[in-house]
Amino acid sequence: YQRRVHGVSTATYTIKAPGTPVFSPAAGSYSDTTTVSIKSDDSQYICYTDDGSTPACSSTNNGCAPGALTTQPFTYVVNKTLTLKAIGCPGGPLGTADYTIQATKKSSSVVVSSNMGSILLILLLFVLLH
């Protein structure tokens, strides 16, 4: 936008569109709960969803429809497998990140005491001798 008026100085304004949201750490598989930071350059607010729906900036519904509006940078605790989608407001490009939380298997073991071994040996001898 440029405005010229006789006898008045001229100014040029550049309005930048929000950048694509960046997810850190990047999308992927993780063995435990992961805290994800989401930010978008040249944007004060971010609309995000965690249910697979696509967020949109809106002048109603607290600024998002669907989704939740938050200031940035924003952190989200991922404790289950899900897809995060985010958009910088107003009207930036959509960013998507798929996170998989892999449940860790706990190992179990059986401990046989030395007394159990002795009992088995006595039973074996009893069977062999009779």
Side-chain angles (χ1 to χ4, degrees), residues 74-126:
F74 169 68
T75 56
Y76 186 97
V77 177
V78 177
N79 59 7
K80 63 181 180 177
T81 297
L82 56 79
T83 298
L84 287 174
K85 293 184 179 183
I87 186 170
C89 294
L94 178 69
T96 301
D98 296 315
Y99 291 91
T100 302
I101 302 300
Q102 299 173 343
T104 55
K105 294 182 180 178
K106 298 188 179 195
S107 63
S108 60
S109 59
V110 176
V111 176
V112 177
S113 70
S114 60
N115 290 339
M116 181 65 106
S118 297
I119 292 171
L120 290 174
L121 181 59
I122 291 170
L123 286 173
L124 180 62
L125 288 174
F126 179 77

Side-chain angles (χ1 to χ4, degrees), residues 2 5 10 23 47 56 60 63-64 72 82 94 107 118 120-121 130:
Q2 194 172 44
V5 177
T10 302
F23 301 85
C47 283
T60 60
C64 292
Q72 64 164 345
L82 56 79
L94 178 69
S107 63
S118 297
L120 290 174
L121 181 59
H130 292 335

